[in-house]
Amino acid sequence: MDEPIPVMRAVDHGTAKLMPDVDRKRAWLLTVDGAPQSYVDLDEPTHLEFEYARRLGHVLDTVVAPGRRPDVLHLGGGALTLPRYVAATRPGARQDVVEADLGLLALIGEHLPMADGAGVTVHGADAREWLEAAAPASVDIVIADVFGGSRVPAHLTSTAYAHAAGRVLRDDGVYLANLADSAPFTFLRSQLATFSTVFEELAVIAEPGVLRGRRFGNAVLVTSHHPFDTAALARRTASDAFPARVEHGPALRRFIGGAVPVRDEDAVPSPEPPGGAFGIG
């Protein structure tokens, strides 16, 4: 019986490694320079291993009506975890994936290819450049999961970037982003202030201990021009195997406090996680 073996390769932005999961026959963990980036189970694409990915899945299941075939733009590819999830849960969806690391795309295409007919097209490009060149009102969902190593690049944190993301969304579209921070939440608060310049509705999903400032962790940002069902989203996230809390409305405005939107000239990457061992994608 052939046992899967790890694969290591130099890619454009570091050293990528694919490691098989001994507990799942065709499941793999992708790391880049030791930082966990993606987890994929080729036999069960609806299995979302990372907590933040599960929360993105909860949002998608809440805002995309059953049977609908959304147009989805993924900024950041990794091992294509969320594109596989959407393809499995919303057959017929049209998906574009934008990933700047061409070496990583080649690695994933060789070892963890998407199934034929999945409706997923992968593009080697910078996320912001792609947004700025894309047709307006052309997608229903934007999912941003872009990390350089373990940090969100600075040029994806400004009001100009937020406006570019808002421009490509249809009127009822939703923007989702995987962010990471810890108390005093300088980065997360600034991102909320930044996206509030474009979107009327905002929510954050995170593990309660993260929101209380007890540890560094992921926070999923959800924004839209129109209200979405935060009560249904809160029920889904609270009942998950890894429970999370949804903050929105007055509580979220209090959390933002006096944070100001980020201009391009002031933009900085998200904070470095302590210790470097942090699952991000």
Side-chain angles (χ1 to χ4, degrees):
M1 180 176 178
D2 293 333
E3 294 288 342
I5 60 175
V7 177
M8 184 180 296
R9 182 180 299 175
V11 294
D12 296 4
H13 299 128
T15 300
K17 187 174 184 180
L18 287 170
M19 293 178 289
D21 185 339
V22 297
D23 296 320
R24 287 177 171 264
K25 186 176 180 180
R26 294 209 304 153
W28 297 83
L29 172 67
L30 167 68
T31 67
V32 177
D33 289 341
Q37 297 284 329
S38 298
Y39 180 98
V40 168
D41 187 332
L42 298 178
D43 291 328
E44 192 178 349
T46 59
H47 174 76
L48 301 176
E49 181 77 7
F50 291 173
E51 294 178 24
Y52 95 86
R54 297 170 70 90
R55 288 158 196 161
L56 289 171
H58 292 321
V59 178
L60 292 169
D61 293 342
T62 300
V63 303
V64 180
R68 185 182 176 192
R69 301 175 182 178
D71 293 329
V72 184
L73 173 60
H74 301 264
L75 304 177
L80 309 180
T81 303
L82 266 296
R84 299 173 202 270
Y85 180 84
V86 173
T89 59
R90 296 294 188 275
R94 181 179 66 84
Q95 302 187 77
D96 288 287
V97 180
V98 178
E99 170 60 58
D101 193 320
L102 302 184
L104 181 60
L105 288 180
L107 174 67
I108 299 304
E110 179 182 345
H111 292 278
L112 305 177
M114 292 288 303
D116 292 339
V120 178
T121 305
V122 180
H123 311 271
D126 175 79
R128 179 161 164 180
E129 291 178 0
W130 181 273
L131 283 179
E132 292 174 342
S138 55
V139 299
D140 301 300
I141 307 286
V142 175
I143 303 174
D145 186 18
V146 185
F147 281 78
S150 54
R151 307 177 74 181
V152 178
H155 71 299
L156 305 184
T157 67
S158 68
T159 53
Y161 165 77
H163 279 279
R167 188 184 66 85
V168 304
L169 282 170
R170 296 181 177 127
D171 188 54
D172 60 349
V174 180
Y175 174 88
L176 314 177
N178 176 32
L179 305 174
D181 201 2
S182 61
F185 300 111
T186 303
F187 175 74
L188 180 57
R189 288 184 167 118
S190 75
Q191 289 305 283
L192 289 165
T194 297
F195 279 85
S196 70
T197 66
V198 177
F199 298 95
E200 290 79 15
E201 302 293 329
L202 294 92
V204 165
I205 311 169
E207 193 270 323
V210 171
L211 290 174
R212 295 189 187 109
R214 293 177 179 171
R215 66 178 182 88
F216 189 97
N218 294 86
V220 168
L221 171 66
V222 188
T223 65
S224 177
H225 291 302
H226 297 287
F228 46 88
D229 195 343
T230 53
L233 184 57
R235 289 192 296 270
R236 279 182 174 271
T237 57
S239 62
D240 190 80
F242 303 97
R245 196 168 80 214
V246 178
E247 291 287 2
H248 62 96
L252 192 59
R253 289 194 292 272
R254 290 193 297 271
F255 178 82
I256 296 171
V260 298
V262 178
R263 302 175 300 172
D264 269 337
E265 55 266 36
D266 302 322
V268 297
S270 63
E272 187 80 39
F278 179 63
I280 58 173

